[in-house]
Amino acid sequence: MSDTVQASPDATAQNTLVPVTVLTGFLGAGKTTLLNHILTAQHGRKYAVVVNEFGELGVDNDLVVDADEEVFEMNNGCICCTVRGDLIRILGNLMKRRAKFDGIIVETTGLADPAPVAQTFFVDEDVRGKTRLDAVVTVVDAYNVIQTLDESPEAVNQIAFADVIILNKTDLVDEVALATIESRIRSINAVGRIHRAQRGDVPLSDVLDQGGFDLQRALEHAPRFLEDTSHSHEADVTSLSYEVEEPLDAAKFQAWIGAVLQEQGADILRAKGILNYAGEDQRFAFQAVHMMADGGFIGPWKEGEPRVSRLVFIGRNLNRPQLRRGFESCRAK
């Protein structure tokens, strides 16, 4: 849906949807190690992991307790599923086993742009009715990331798309280098949460069930991102963020954001926001990937919480004052 942003019925309905994590990262960054950890550790949660090829994981077959052509059930309760064809079909098959897992993780190949995978959760009605995109998680190789960013636009896109960034192999570089790397990452994506890791060993609470809409949590991790200071020379990828203190007119916002995505969607890698609609007691969460947008009410504002609408764009060739004026024009009169 590219011209309007329609609300889910209510926050309760949103909470019944299966959370989906899209896992991306450049070749050699450590995605496979992280997936092995999820599939084999006794962490008390059950996930369905969708991978391109099960054999690439190198998981010991003794850990597989049940398998059919494309679904492998692990002895820690997780399910591993290989993509042999259409992702939408795979997700449909997984939903028949809904009672067996808490969430879904979809791996992308090392060179892949995560946008098409993320867009799947906006475009297909059946998928939208049963799942919600929880977060895009990008695994970054601390040892090679500077060179990779210099040479690869795909790697820049993967960081720009991320809600969560796992900075892996931190034991191979010193603290000065890590500070430089994190600054470079922040210049591309000012709002993503960065977690340092070695050998992909991170608490799953840092990766999964992140509540992808939660800008407040992002603010806690990167409180300065609303200062609009972040600009990157990574092929001119920029993070822009805006606030409006007055309530918004829902129809005005939908008309404006629809036009923005139609005209500039190719350059907008990600957009997301928490909005205060006039006459509504609940927060409205919005996110978009290129031209595809989705949104829904995610529960009431906390008592004493400022009802401020916040909107973030990450992309190329973005006109900061034009977007600010457009967002501010959505105020309810």
Side-chain angles (χ1 to χ4, degrees), residues 126-147:
D126 286 340
V127 172
R128 284 185 64 219
K130 296 174 182 173
T131 65
R132 61 177 173 83
L133 181 60
D134 182 66
V136 176
V137 176
T138 298
V139 184
V140 173
D141 173 359
Y143 188 72
N144 292 306
V145 63
I146 298 297
Q147 180 182 350

Short mmCIF file of all heavy atoms in Angstrom, two decimals, residues 126-147:
data_model
loop_
_atom_site.label_atom_id
_atom_site.label_comp_id
_atom_site.label_asym_id
_atom_site.label_seq_id
_atom_site.Cartn_x
_atom_site.Cartn_y
_atom_site.Cartn_z
N ASP A 126 -2.43 -11.74 3.47
CA ASP A 126 -2.41 -12.88 4.41
C ASP A 126 -1.26 -12.75 5.39
O ASP A 126 -1.42 -13.00 6.60
CB ASP A 126 -2.29 -14.20 3.64
CG ASP A 126 -3.59 -14.57 2.95
OD1 ASP A 126 -4.65 -14.04 3.36
OD2 ASP A 126 -3.56 -15.38 2.01
N VAL A 127 -0.10 -12.36 4.87
CA VAL A 127 1.07 -12.21 5.74
C VAL A 127 0.84 -11.07 6.73
O VAL A 127 1.11 -11.20 7.93
CB VAL A 127 2.33 -11.95 4.89
CG1 VAL A 127 3.53 -11.60 5.79
CG2 VAL A 127 2.66 -13.17 4.03
N ARG A 128 0.31 -9.95 6.25
CA ARG A 128 0.04 -8.81 7.13
C ARG A 128 -0.99 -9.15 8.21
O ARG A 128 -0.95 -8.62 9.32
CB ARG A 128 -0.49 -7.62 6.33
CG ARG A 128 0.58 -6.89 5.55
CD ARG A 128 0.00 -5.66 4.88
NE ARG A 128 -0.46 -4.71 5.87
CZ ARG A 128 -1.57 -3.98 5.76
NH1 ARG A 128 -2.35 -4.12 4.71
NH2 ARG A 128 -1.90 -3.13 6.69
N GLY A 129 -1.91 -10.05 7.86
CA GLY A 129 -2.96 -10.40 8.82
C GLY A 129 -2.48 -11.31 9.93
O GLY A 129 -3.18 -11.47 10.95
N LYS A 130 -1.29 -11.92 9.77
CA LYS A 130 -0.81 -12.89 10.76
C LYS A 130 0.53 -12.54 11.38
O LYS A 130 0.90 -13.09 12.41
CB LYS A 130 -0.71 -14.27 10.10
CG LYS A 130 -2.06 -14.82 9.65
CD LYS A 130 -1.90 -16.11 8.87
CE LYS A 130 -3.25 -16.63 8.37
NZ LYS A 130 -3.10 -17.80 7.48
N THR A 131 1.29 -11.66 10.74
CA THR A 131 2.62 -11.34 11.24
C THR A 131 2.82 -9.83 11.31
O THR A 131 2.05 -9.06 10.74
CB THR A 131 3.71 -11.91 10.30
OG1 THR A 131 3.63 -11.25 9.03
CG2 THR A 131 3.56 -13.41 10.10
N ARG A 132 3.87 -9.43 12.03
CA ARG A 132 4.27 -8.01 12.03
C ARG A 132 5.79 -7.96 11.95
O ARG A 132 6.49 -8.76 12.57
CB ARG A 132 3.78 -7.29 13.29
CG ARG A 132 4.33 -7.84 14.59
CD ARG A 132 3.86 -7.05 15.80
NE ARG A 132 4.26 -7.70 17.06
CZ ARG A 132 5.44 -7.57 17.62
NH1 ARG A 132 6.37 -6.82 17.05
NH2 ARG A 132 5.73 -8.18 18.76
N LEU A 133 6.30 -7.04 11.16
CA LEU A 133 7.75 -6.85 11.07
C LEU A 133 8.23 -6.24 12.38
O LEU A 133 7.89 -5.10 12.70
CB LEU A 133 8.08 -5.95 9.89
CG LEU A 133 9.57 -5.69 9.66
CD1 LEU A 133 10.31 -6.99 9.41
CD2 LEU A 133 9.77 -4.73 8.50
N ASP A 134 9.00 -7.01 13.14
CA ASP A 134 9.44 -6.56 14.45
C ASP A 134 10.70 -5.72 14.35
O ASP A 134 10.80 -4.66 14.96
CB ASP A 134 9.68 -7.76 15.36
CG ASP A 134 10.09 -7.35 16.76
OD1 ASP A 134 9.25 -6.74 17.45
OD2 ASP A 134 11.24 -7.61 17.15
N ALA A 135 11.67 -6.18 13.59
CA ALA A 135 12.93 -5.44 13.47
C ALA A 135 13.76 -5.99 12.33
O ALA A 135 13.67 -7.17 11.99
CB ALA A 135 13.72 -5.52 14.78
N VAL A 136 14.58 -5.12 11.75
CA VAL A 136 15.65 -5.54 10.85
C VAL A 136 16.94 -5.51 11.66
O VAL A 136 17.30 -4.48 12.24
CB VAL A 136 15.76 -4.60 9.62
CG1 VAL A 136 16.95 -5.00 8.75
CG2 VAL A 136 14.47 -4.63 8.81
N VAL A 137 17.61 -6.66 11.73
CA VAL A 137 18.85 -6.79 12.51
C VAL A 137 20.00 -7.00 11.53
O VAL A 137 19.96 -7.91 10.70
CB VAL A 137 18.77 -7.99 13.48
CG1 VAL A 137 20.10 -8.18 14.21
CG2 VAL A 137 17.64 -7.77 14.49
N THR A 138 21.01 -6.14 11.61
CA THR A 138 22.17 -6.24 10.73
C THR A 138 23.40 -6.62 11.54
O THR A 138 23.72 -5.96 12.54
CB THR A 138 22.42 -4.90 10.00
OG1 THR A 138 21.29 -4.61 9.18
CG2 THR A 138 23.66 -4.98 9.13
N VAL A 139 24.06 -7.69 11.12
CA VAL A 139 25.31 -8.13 11.77
C VAL A 139 26.47 -7.49 11.01
O VAL A 139 26.55 -7.58 9.79
CB VAL A 139 25.43 -9.66 11.76
CG1 VAL A 139 26.70 -10.09 12.52
CG2 VAL A 139 24.20 -10.30 12.39
N VAL A 140 27.38 -6.85 11.76
CA VAL A 140 28.50 -6.11 11.17
C VAL A 140 29.80 -6.72 11.68
O VAL A 140 29.95 -6.99 12.87
CB VAL A 140 28.42 -4.62 11.57
CG1 VAL A 140 29.66 -3.86 11.13
CG2 VAL A 140 27.17 -3.98 10.98
N ASP A 141 30.74 -6.92 10.77
CA ASP A 141 32.07 -7.43 11.10
C ASP A 141 32.97 -6.26 11.48
O ASP A 141 33.38 -5.48 10.62
CB ASP A 141 32.60 -8.17 9.86
CG ASP A 141 34.06 -8.62 10.02
OD1 ASP A 141 34.66 -8.35 11.07
OD2 ASP A 141 34.58 -9.24 9.07
N ALA A 142 33.27 -6.12 12.77
CA ALA A 142 34.04 -4.96 13.23
C ALA A 142 35.42 -4.90 12.57
O ALA A 142 35.94 -3.80 12.31
CB ALA A 142 34.19 -5.01 14.76
N TYR A 143 36.00 -6.04 12.26
CA TYR A 143 37.36 -6.07 11.73
C TYR A 143 37.43 -5.53 10.30
O TYR A 143 38.40 -4.87 9.91
CB TYR A 143 37.90 -7.50 11.78
CG TYR A 143 39.36 -7.62 11.42
CD1 TYR A 143 40.35 -7.17 12.30
CD2 TYR A 143 39.75 -8.18 10.21
CE1 TYR A 143 41.69 -7.28 11.98
CE2 TYR A 143 41.10 -8.29 9.88
CZ TYR A 143 42.06 -7.84 10.77
OH TYR A 143 43.38 -7.94 10.44
N ASN A 144 36.38 -5.78 9.50
CA ASN A 144 36.41 -5.43 8.08
C ASN A 144 35.43 -4.34 7.67
O ASN A 144 35.37 -3.96 6.50
CB ASN A 144 36.11 -6.68 7.23
CG ASN A 144 37.21 -7.70 7.31
OD1 ASN A 144 38.37 -7.40 7.06
ND2 ASN A 144 36.86 -8.93 7.68
N VAL A 145 34.64 -3.82 8.62
CA VAL A 145 33.49 -2.99 8.23
C VAL A 145 33.90 -1.69 7.53
O VAL A 145 33.23 -1.26 6.58
CB VAL A 145 32.59 -2.68 9.46
CG1 VAL A 145 33.33 -1.88 10.51
CG2 VAL A 145 31.32 -1.96 9.02
N ILE A 146 34.98 -1.06 7.93
CA ILE A 146 35.36 0.22 7.30
C ILE A 146 35.66 0.02 5.82
O ILE A 146 35.15 0.76 4.96
CB ILE A 146 36.57 0.85 8.02
CG1 ILE A 146 36.23 1.16 9.50
CG2 ILE A 146 37.02 2.11 7.28
CD1 ILE A 146 35.13 2.19 9.67
N GLN A 147 36.44 -1.00 5.52
CA GLN A 147 36.75 -1.29 4.11
C GLN A 147 35.49 -1.68 3.35
O GLN A 147 35.27 -1.24 2.21
CB GLN A 147 37.79 -2.40 4.01
CG GLN A 147 38.16 -2.76 2.57
CD GLN A 147 39.17 -3.89 2.49
OE1 GLN A 147 39.73 -4.30 3.50
NE2 GLN A 147 39.40 -4.40 1.30
#
